[in-house]
């Protein structure tokens, strides 16, 4: 680890803002991760990530649902609030759930809740040219917007599954138009999800805002992963673009097996985990005779 890679103590670090992220285009890679509660937000922030996203992936990796479509604004606000208590330095972004930005008015209401109640400092929404009016309205209202093009899981029904996008020159041209439309509308950065590295390269060169890749190769201005994927906590499936940097699922299972074994052997709690009475009280307490109450 070099000096510049060392973890920055949360309290001393300057908060990362949307303009800071926007200014990182073409410079140091922008490191982003999702988080959904106080401990994951705190750990991500202490590790020195630049941006923490309370993703609607929470529906799958935290709430155990099939896809992201059913997550509500109330649920997103609840989890954003929890993550906000742990994130002090990184830019905290909250995802706008499916249909919660179907119109400009709904987008403004949802952003108001995620930032006002939830404590997010920016929002993310999925879509390209079709959501440009919402991005313009949000930006004009003072809401920093992270856009998201390529594989957008909220459009799963239209895509017919979790499938990589932009696999031809024509498909890449459409993605470039989407990325340029969200940039023109005011987005401060754009997520590129699940596309060939060649498509990500062309898009990254076609916009002046940072591109944040997930399954888009290493040519983007930054990377994002889902917390539970990166730490080996989600077992239902592992997309090709995920690297598991730890196996916390296995470690947690082993730890709880040890806990059960120690409880059953009566070696936990041990002396160190037990409160004792002053010795002069012990003799007295042994004299207390209490009969169990009849039910
Ligand atoms: O919801 C989410 O976690 C996301 C990231 C994968 C970008 O949208």
């Amino acid at each position: 680890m070099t000096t510049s890679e060392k973890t920055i103590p949360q309290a001393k670090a300057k908060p990362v803002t949307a303009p800071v992220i926007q200014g990182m285009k073409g410079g140091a890679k922008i490191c982003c991760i999702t988080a959904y509660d106080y401990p994951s937000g705190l750990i991500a922030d202490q590790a020195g990530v630049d941006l923490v996203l309370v993703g609607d992936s929470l529906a799958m990796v935290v709430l155990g649902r099939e896809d992201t479509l059913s997550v509500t604004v109330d649920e997103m606000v609840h989890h954003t609030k929890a993550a906000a208590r742990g994130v002090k330095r990184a830019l905290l972004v909250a995802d706008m759930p499916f249909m919660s930005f179907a119109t400009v008015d709904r987008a403004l209401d949802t952003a108001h809740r995620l930032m006002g109640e939830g404590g997010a400092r920016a929002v993310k929404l999925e879509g390209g040219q079709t959501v440009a009016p919402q991005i313009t309205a949000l930006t004009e209202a003072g809401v920093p917007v992270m856009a998201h093009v390529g594989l957008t899981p909220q459009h799963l029904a239209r895509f017919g599954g979790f499938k990589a996008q932009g696999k031809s020159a024509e498909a890449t041209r459409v993605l470039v138009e989407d990325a340029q439309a969200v940039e023109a509308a005011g987005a401060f950065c754009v997520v590129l999800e699940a596309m060939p590295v060649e498509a990500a390269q062309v898009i990254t060169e076609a916009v002046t805002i940072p591109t944040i890749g997930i399954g888009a190769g290493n040519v983007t201005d930054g990377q994002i992963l889902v917390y539970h994927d990166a730490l080996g906590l989600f077992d239902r499936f592992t997309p090709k673009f995920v690297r598991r940097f730890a196996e916390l699922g296995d470690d947690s299972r082993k730890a709880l097996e040890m806990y059960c074994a120690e409880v059953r052997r009566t070696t936990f709690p041990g002396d160190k985990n037990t409160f004792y009475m002053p010795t002069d009280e012990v003799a007295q307490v042994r004299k207390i005779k209490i009969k169990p109450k009849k039910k």
Side-chain angles (χ1 to χ4, degrees):
M1 191 184 265
T2 64
T3 320
S4 62
E5 285 172 328
K6 274 192 189 138
T7 305
I8 308 158
Q10 272 187 305
K12 289 197 188 144
K14 245 174 112 185
V16 180
T17 60
V20 168
I21 297 288
Q22 190 163 352
M24 290 171 80
K25 172 82 183 177
K29 293 281 182 185
I30 305 165
C31 185
C32 317
I33 192 89
T34 66
Y36 313 94
D37 54 17
Y38 172 72
S40 56
L42 183 69
I43 290 167
D45 206 46
Q46 288 173 333
V49 304
D50 302 303
L51 182 152
V52 172
L53 170 70
V54 184
D56 63 354
S57 49
L58 107 85
M60 297 171 73
V61 300
V62 174
L63 304 176
R65 299 184 189 147
E66 275 304 302
D67 55 41
T68 60
L69 301 188
S70 63
V71 78
T72 64
V73 175
D74 282 346
E75 287 168 332
M76 291 303 301
V77 169
H78 175 81
H79 285 268
T80 303
K81 269 187 194 168
R85 293 185 195 110
V87 177
K88 300 293 171 226
R89 172 188 169 268
L91 179 67
L92 185 68
V93 182
D95 231 346
M96 310 257 270
F98 181 56
M99 294 305 281
S100 71
F101 53 98
T103 63
V104 163
D105 283 349
R106 287 184 71 180
L108 291 170
D109 282 349
T110 304
H112 188 194
R113 291 206 56 204
L114 293 170
M115 293 179 73
E117 275 177 65
R121 288 188 286 122
V123 300
K124 175 169 88 58
L125 54 80
E126 293 185 8
Q129 301 171 58
T130 55
V131 292
Q134 284 87 329
I135 297 177
T136 302
L138 288 164
T139 309
E140 282 172 0
V143 176
V145 178
M146 180 180 202
H148 183 162
V149 304
L151 171 60
T152 43
Q154 291 177 10
H155 302 107
L156 206 62
R158 185 154 58 76
F159 292 147
F162 290 101
K163 291 183 184 156
Q165 303 297 303
K167 290 211 235 166
S168 65
E170 177 52 21
T172 301
R173 195 185 53 74
V174 174
L175 289 180
V176 167
E177 284 172 8
D178 277 335
Q180 288 180 332
V182 298
E183 173 180 17
F188 71 91
C189 69
V190 56
V191 172
L192 308 184
E193 179 163 353
M195 63 184 66
V197 63
E198 295 85 354
Q201 177 85 58
V202 171
I203 299 167
T204 299
E205 286 167 10
V207 293
T208 64
I209 53 173
T211 54
I212 309 294
I214 173 162
N218 65 1
V219 295
T220 50
D221 298 297
Q223 294 292 328
I224 186 160
L225 275 181
V226 168
Y227 187 91
H228 291 59
D229 286 339
L231 298 184
L233 285 164
F234 183 67
D235 255 352
R236 225 158 65 213
F237 59 88
T238 306
K240 172 185 164 70
F241 54 77
V242 166
R243 184 181 298 167
R244 290 160 78 128
F245 290 87
E247 291 297 344
L248 297 194
D250 287 347
D251 289 351
S252 307
R253 240 180 324 273
K254 278 181 208 144
L256 294 184
E257 280 166 13
M258 274 161 57
Y259 162 69
C260 290
E262 298 244 4
V263 167
R264 289 176 187 134
R265 276 202 301 266
T266 70
T267 48
F268 177 83
D271 263 1
K272 282 189 187 155
N273 318 109
T274 304
F275 299 107
Y276 290 101
M277 228 177 233
T279 35
D280 51 337
E281 292 294 324
V282 175
Q284 300 302 317
V285 85
R286 293 221 167 108
K287 288 183 196 155
I288 301 175
K289 295 257 183 307
I290 302 172
K291 284 190 187 146
K293 279 191 186 141
K294 280 186 191 145
K295 285 199 180 141

